[in-house]
Amino acid sequence: MENSVRPSSAIAYVYRGTFVHSTQQTALQILEDALLGVDTEGKIAFIGEGKELEKLSQTFGFSTSEVTQLEQHEFFMPGMIDTHIHASQYSYAGTALDLPLLQWLNTYTFPVESRFKDLEFAHRVYTQVVKRTLRNGTTTACYFATIHTDASLLLGKIANDFGQRAMVGKVCMDRNNGVKHYKESAQESQDETCRFIKELLNKKYPLVKPVVTPRFAPSCTGALLGQLGAIAKNNNLHIQSHISENVEEVQLVKELFPESESYTDVYHKYNLLTDKTVMAHGCHLTDEELDLFRETGASLSHCPNSNFSLCSGVLNVRNVLKHKVKLGLGTDVAGGYSASMLDAVRRTLDASKVLTIQDPEHNTLTFEEVFRLATLGGSQALSLDDITGNFEVGKDFDALRVNVAAPDGPIDLIQYEGPKTHLEKFLNLGDDRNIMEVFVAGRKVLPLTEPTAE
């Protein structure tokens, strides 16, 4: 099993015990009595078997006495990747779920998001959402902020300070009849997006990057969508937005963009479907639209809590995967009421079972497949799978140390049942009490340490 490269950096620490992760070929791979070394750059230097301890210690120059041994009820898994979350909506998560999407936006979302011109309010909300997601094992988050550039930059700073890997998007929208003061002109949106990108990149945060963020087609004119497509291309940036979330929205897009063949075609026309694009939802995409996703390399973010909570629809994940479209999971706070990716895992399983209830021929997703979607699938959806998503030599060590027998935790273990059962119990029953440590790029970010004031 030894998998290693000659050391270029010193070894920072070595763990011995059980590691669970996904590969391209296998939804769940379990490595028992494994040794994993992390170098001072935060990258995985080697993965080997426990019996190779002496040889690896000589090769990589670490002392066998410095190896950290996991307990029987502990394992390491890759950090979870939230491919779609609205950081600016966190303050009302768990409420306001009584309306369908378009009315929900006008009644609850836009009035709250308009408050983020107040940087003190923004700091309070963004600090809480970064801390909460890290506690729940989200090592990478793809965030929507608001139209406010300075508050969006603040979200990037907070994610960096706490050590979370993040993509941060300043929201763009030049069309909004519901809350008229919460929008920009197309020129203003273009200028502020360019300022946001430039200033965030100038910070040189190692793990926080900008993502071009048209809110969704109904809130943007074609002119703005075209400008944003050009900005993303010229800066080689990621793109995020929403697509085909509910039936009313799909119909609205038809009316606003009558010249386009489909909702997907709107984004494609304006060069917003690339291999660095992630679109949330997609509940009502046709097979032809999924083919276009596959051809362009664009990804989907499945947000089942939100789809249930707003009665938007049920995405057929199996069909998406059949079309070979990249797919990850998202919490979609606050349309989704939970900021925990464990909830996204559970609701993904529920959604698949609902489809099986409706059609007994439907091939229900397994927990192993959904585990992959929450980790490696998310990294593929965000085009970060060369950096993170599983345990491979040379990748960053983004990981959760899980103890299924944590004192006062939510899981009661009656007897030792092996790591596969432990993982299944954690995914179905676990919470932040089971997550002992969180690492991002080799840095321990949980237990949380408050950033020092500059």
Side-chain angles (χ1 to χ4, degrees):
M1 186 180 82
E2 185 182 346
N3 183 356
S4 63
V5 292
R6 279 284 166 189
S8 56
S9 301
I11 299 300
Y13 40 85
V14 179
Y15 282 97
R16 181 173 184 173
T18 299
F19 292 79
V20 300
H21 73 152
S22 302
T23 68
Q24 196 64 41
Q25 296 75 31
T26 309
L28 175 61
Q29 185 178 62
I30 298 171
L31 308 175
E32 293 191 73
D33 191 29
L35 286 163
L36 185 145
V38 181
D39 67 23
T40 51
E41 301 294 313
K43 298 190 180 298
I44 299 170
F46 65 82
I47 303 170
E49 297 180 17
K51 64 187 179 185
E52 300 172 308
L53 177 58
E54 289 294 339
K55 185 176 81 168
L56 288 168
S57 72
Q58 291 171 16
T59 302
F60 289 90
F62 64 90
S63 168
T64 57
S65 64
E66 295 171 355
V67 175
T68 300
Q69 176 72 52
L70 297 190
E71 299 295 329
Q72 186 184 47
H73 300 301
E74 289 187 310
F75 61 83
F76 267 110
M77 62 173 277
M80 290 183 284
I81 297 172
D82 191 340
T83 57
H84 184 72
I85 175 170
H86 292 261
S88 52
Q89 297 174 13
Y90 183 65
S91 65
Y92 65 95
T95 67
L97 297 172
D98 58 330
L99 294 172
L101 173 66
L102 300 181
Q103 294 90 320
W104 177 83
L105 288 170
N106 290 332
T107 305
Y108 304 116
T109 301
F110 295 150
V112 170
E113 288 191 13
S114 67
R115 293 185 60 191
F116 279 75
K117 59 182 178 289
D118 176 354
L119 291 181
E120 185 179 330
F121 178 74
H123 187 275
R124 195 158 71 243
V125 175
Y126 288 157
T127 298
Q128 292 294 347
V129 72
V130 170
K131 289 167 69 172
R132 178 64 62 189
T133 52
L134 277 175
R135 282 195 203 101
N136 281 283
T138 300
T139 52
T140 300
C142 194
Y143 286 120
F144 271 62
T146 62
I147 67 174
H148 310 99
T149 302
D150 292 333
S152 303
L153 290 166
L154 180 59
L155 174 57
K157 179 183 187 304
I158 291 167
N160 174 74
D161 288 350
F162 280 102
Q164 189 174 52
R165 189 185 303 277
M167 293 180 182
V168 176
K170 174 224 162 298
V171 172
C172 299
M173 48 191 293
D174 65 341
R175 181 154 51 189
N176 181 7
N177 295 326
V179 181
K180 292 185 178 177
H181 63 279
Y182 186 56
K183 66 178 179 181
E184 316 153 286
S185 68
Q187 188 63 49
E188 186 181 13
S189 188
Q190 181 183 4
D191 292 346
E192 286 301 297
T193 295
C194 290
R195 177 167 81 89
F196 170 72
I197 292 166
K198 181 180 179 183
E199 292 193 21
L200 188 58
L201 291 176
N202 283 345
K203 299 289 186 183
K204 293 186 165 51
Y205 298 141
L207 302 177
V208 179
K209 305 297 180 213
V211 49
V212 174
T213 307
R215 180 176 213 107
F216 67 156
S219 67
C220 299
T221 59
L224 178 57
L225 291 174
Q227 291 164 355
L228 295 176
I231 289 170
K233 183 177 180 180
N234 294 339
N235 293 277
N236 190 27
L237 289 178
H238 283 77
I239 298 162
Q240 64 176 348
S241 193
H242 303 83
I243 194 165
S244 295
E245 186 172 351
N246 84 353
V247 173
E248 184 185 6
E249 169 211 12
V250 174
Q251 183 57 40
L252 178 59
V253 170
K254 277 185 184 175
E255 295 167 7
L256 293 173
F257 298 90
E259 72 286 355
S260 293
E261 294 176 16
S262 66
Y263 201 155
T264 302
D265 185 52
V266 173
Y267 290 126
H268 187 47
K269 174 182 176 182
Y270 293 110
N271 300 311
L272 289 165
L273 276 193
T274 75
D275 61 0
K276 297 176 81 171
T277 294
V278 58
M279 289 281 172
H281 307 300
C283 298
H284 305 283
L285 292 174
T286 64
D287 285 352
E288 291 75 19
E289 287 178 283
L290 288 172
D291 288 339
L292 190 50
F293 266 76
R294 172 76 183 108
E295 290 164 19
T296 57
S299 308
L300 279 174
S301 172
H302 178 37
C303 306
N305 186 313
S306 174
N307 297 156
F308 286 139
S309 294
L310 301 183
C311 298
S312 296
V314 184
L315 177 68
N316 187 332
V317 169
R318 185 68 72 196
N319 190 46
V320 173
L321 298 178
K322 186 180 80 174
H323 281 79
K324 294 184 166 51
V325 174
K326 297 180 295 183
L327 182 134
L329 306 183
T331 59
D332 193 26
V333 168
Y337 53 75
S338 173
S340 171
M341 281 296 293
L342 288 172
D343 175 86
V345 166
R346 294 161 195 170
R347 301 292 83 78
T348 296
L349 287 164
D350 288 346
S352 186
K353 289 170 183 174
V354 165
L355 293 174
T356 302
I357 292 169
Q358 295 173 341
D359 175 13
E361 298 295 310
H362 179 260
N363 184 11
T364 313
L365 294 170
T366 66
F367 87 84
E368 294 95 334
E369 289 178 300
V370 177
F371 169 72
R372 177 160 60 185
L373 293 178
T375 54
L376 183 60
S379 70
Q380 292 167 338
L382 298 181
S383 298
L384 294 174
D385 47 311
D386 59 332
I387 298 170
T388 187
N390 62 0
F391 299 132
E392 290 182 3
V393 169
K395 288 191 177 184
D396 286 3
F397 186 59
D398 290 7
L400 314 182
R401 182 175 178 173
V402 176
N403 180 2
V404 287
D408 299 319
I411 302 171
D412 293 316
L413 291 181
I414 309 304
Q415 59 195 21
Y416 180 73
E417 297 175 289
K420 182 176 178 180
T421 300
H422 286 168
L423 174 63
E424 186 175 13
K425 281 181 175 285
F426 171 65
L427 294 178
N428 284 320
L429 299 171
D431 62 25
D432 56 327
R433 290 169 288 181
N434 298 107
I435 300 173
M436 300 294 103
E437 296 174 331
V438 174
F439 295 83
V440 180
R443 172 187 166 191
K444 189 188 290 187
V445 296
L446 186 83
L448 293 167
T449 53
E450 292 292 333
T452 54
E454 293 181 358

